Amino acid sequence: MQTIRIAIIDDHEAIRVGLASALGDPTEAVEVVANAATVADFLAADHAAVDVALLDLNLGDDSDPKDNAELLRAEGIRVLVYSIADNVRLLRRALAGGADGVCRKAEPVADTLEAIRAVHAGHQVISQEVFAAIEGDSEHVAAALGPREREVLSLYAAGLEIPQIARSLFISDNSVKEYLKRIRVKYIQVDRPAASKLDLFRRAVEDGIVPPVEPMV
């Protein structure tokens, strides 16, 4: 079994030390190879060996979770938000930056390990509890998608290809492409760009269009 190399990015030393100890069982094939108080500190050090970063939302340098997630993803590192997850706005920012999942600090270590493995395997990890908090955020600005656009996005996020969506909705392939183009434009208009299929899946989850399940991408 491949060992997953972990970085813990949290501005509380006790969290970093305690979590590193909790995840230190070699039988779990997870190894903590780095820890830092900020993403800037982490990136300034040797981080080439890291597969997954456990990222707190509130760091001492007041950095934006979206920026932090983007910086880590640009390095090819998958990002699992590890936080008390009580600030929905910051959760949305991290997800918009490409975070692959959310794990609450109150969850058992076994659940954290499971989330790490899932994220490392390329899956999106958002619990029903976290999803409900995101869905119930009244301050969130959703893209103004029409009924047909939401229908197209739902099918696309579920893993259907353009010809399959066209057949399902009895429209042409070009019509599906045009709907997807409009959807992306509308997300750009609310400062939530979605260039890739996985990005569109994240937006669909954030807006309650599809449930928080593994995307078929």
Side-chain angles (χ1 to χ4, degrees), residues 150-161 165 168-169 210:
R150 292 175 67 90
E151 200 171 15
V152 169
L153 178 55
S154 175
L155 294 172
Y156 192 64
L160 272 66
E161 299 297 333
I165 297 172
S168 177
L169 300 179
V210 298

Side-chain angles (χ1 to χ4, degrees), residues 32 40 62 68 77 106 117 133 147 149 163 213:
V32 178
D62 293 324
N68 286 336
I77 299 169
R117 295 190 190 99
E149 290 167 339
V213 296

Side-chain angles (χ1 to χ4, degrees), residues 9-12 16 36-44 55-69 71-72 89-90:
I9 304 176
D10 194 297
D11 59 347
H12 290 89
R16 300 198 305 271
T38 68
V39 171
D41 289 345
F42 167 72
L43 293 177
L55 175 67
D56 192 19
L57 290 175
N58 289 291
L59 298 177
D61 60 354
D62 293 324
S63 52
D64 184 347
K66 180 176 183 293
D67 292 342
N68 286 336
L71 287 168
L72 293 168
R89 182 185 66 81
L90 294 183

